[in-house]
Amino acid sequence: MEVGIFARTFEAPTLAGVLDAVAAHGIRHIQLNTSCMGLSDMPDGLDSAACERARREIDARNIEVVSLSATYNMVHPDPAARGQGMRRLEVLASRAAELGTDLLTLCTGTRNPDNMWADHPLNNSSEAWSDLLAAMEQAIALAEEHNVRLGIEPEVSNVVSSPEKARDLLDAMRSDKVTIVMDGANVFPLGTIHRQHEILDEAFDLLGDHIALAHAKDLSRDGEAGHEAAGTGLLDYDHYLQLLHHSGYRGAVVLHSLTPEQVPGCVRFLQEKLHNYA
């Protein structure tokens, strides 16, 4: 396993500037967001020429794109918003290979209309689950057409709020196009942080065979997804990384939720931890 990072951690006027910042820290694996290319997070269009330019810059620095961010609220209460998100997902699915990856990371969504990472009382409703299944069916059709994989991430504030629900979704979809993005800082409901080993063990028991990508951040409290830089919070990283290793995962462990100023310290922290699994 090696250190990766969300490319959008760094702000620069050009993609070249972002990639230079990534490379300056010795990082060779990124989760790419199209905002780094001067576009929106989920653009309405993306042409081959732009992808070719981006790929040249990426390859010139010997950087690998391990995934492409394709997050929109898959269960937004407004069907029109869901439809717009799906159309934009197809834009990214159709260009992912040109950018060097076959993995798109999704957001399983929330009934909160204003923030796709915020909880809502109706997230546990049968209607929300039905809307998610319908959206995933459409997304899988796009994945089949464009030969990409879809990464879903258990997160306490989304409809797929737990490893158990992620397992339910995998079982419902029965598609090898649906994979798991594992983030150890995202799976602790309110009042459970003291049981983190038990909860993480169960998460990997349920999902370990389906992990396509691992994220690295931290949390200061349970009841919501973590928002802190790796190594600065309550997550037992030794246990998390041990579970990743034992699951057979050998890909990048991608840092996010950190400032550019925190990058050197987080890279050192993660490299030291990953040294045990070299």
Side-chain angles (χ1 to χ4, degrees):
M1 294 184 285
E2 297 184 42
V3 176
I5 198 166
F6 272 35
R8 68 177 182 185
T9 302
F10 303 102
E11 293 185 7
T14 64
L15 177 61
V18 170
L19 297 172
D20 284 342
V22 171
H25 292 281
I27 301 171
R28 300 298 174 190
H29 307 275
I30 60 170
Q31 178 164 323
L32 182 64
N33 189 298
T34 48
S35 64
C36 299
M37 300 165 59
L39 303 169
S40 66
D41 290 345
M42 293 287 287
D44 289 310
L46 178 58
D47 59 45
S48 287
C51 293
E52 183 179 351
R53 290 193 297 271
R55 187 67 180 274
R56 282 199 302 266
E57 298 284 5
I58 293 164
D59 291 347
R61 293 160 180 82
N62 195 30
I63 288 173
E64 178 187 358
V65 179
V66 295
S67 61
L68 181 63
S69 293
T71 53
Y72 75 96
N73 190 344
M74 297 187 81
V75 297
H76 193 288
D78 182 356
R82 300 199 299 269
Q84 181 185 61
M86 187 63 66
R87 289 189 294 274
R88 291 172 173 172
L89 177 62
E90 182 169 18
V91 169
L92 295 180
S94 69
R95 299 299 185 192
E98 295 174 56
L99 291 169
T101 188
D102 72 338
L103 179 62
L104 303 180
T105 60
L106 305 181
C107 170
T108 61
T110 173
R111 285 304 208 212
N112 188 307
D114 303 315
N115 182 352
M116 65 179 163
W117 310 114
D119 201 0
H120 192 278
L122 293 179
N123 283 358
N124 290 319
S125 66
S126 59
E127 291 80 7
W129 185 253
S130 294
D131 284 344
L132 176 60
L133 295 183
M136 287 299 301
E137 288 176 357
Q138 295 178 63
I140 289 168
L142 294 180
E144 296 283 358
E145 179 180 356
H146 299 291
N147 196 26
V148 296
R149 295 174 297 154
L150 308 169
I152 61 166
E153 184 173 354
E155 184 167 325
V156 291
S157 297
N158 280 174
V159 170
V160 174
S161 57
S162 66
E164 293 83 359
K165 286 192 174 180
R167 182 72 250 183
D168 288 344
L169 185 62
L170 290 174
D171 292 343
M173 294 295 98
R174 298 185 179 278
S175 170
D176 61 3
K177 295 299 184 182
V178 184
T179 64
I180 295 296
V181 178
M182 181 62 76
D183 190 327
N186 280 1
V187 294
F188 303 111
L190 191 63
T192 63
I193 192 65
H194 64 287
R195 295 172 43 233
Q196 67 168 290
H197 284 196
E198 174 189 343
I199 291 170
L200 286 172
D201 289 349
E202 184 176 8
F204 278 85
D205 285 345
L206 291 169
L207 306 173
D209 291 341
H210 297 271
I211 299 172
L213 187 66
H215 282 171
K217 54 180 171 57
D218 222 314
L219 74 163
S220 59
R221 58 186 179 276
D222 53 14
E224 61 180 47
H227 301 291
E228 281 74 45
T232 67
L234 300 175
L235 184 66
D236 185 338
Y237 258 87
D238 291 318
H239 194 67
Y240 175 47
L241 295 177
Q242 183 182 56
L243 288 169
L244 270 176
H245 179 75
H246 286 167
S247 76
Y249 182 75
R250 297 295 183 268
V253 183
V254 180
L255 292 164
H256 73 112
S257 295
L258 71 169
T259 67
E261 292 75 22
Q262 291 174 308
V263 172
C266 290
V267 169
R268 284 193 302 272
F269 168 79
L270 197 52
Q271 283 176 335
E272 289 172 3
K273 296 294 185 183
L274 291 175
H275 180 74
N276 297 323
Y277 307 105

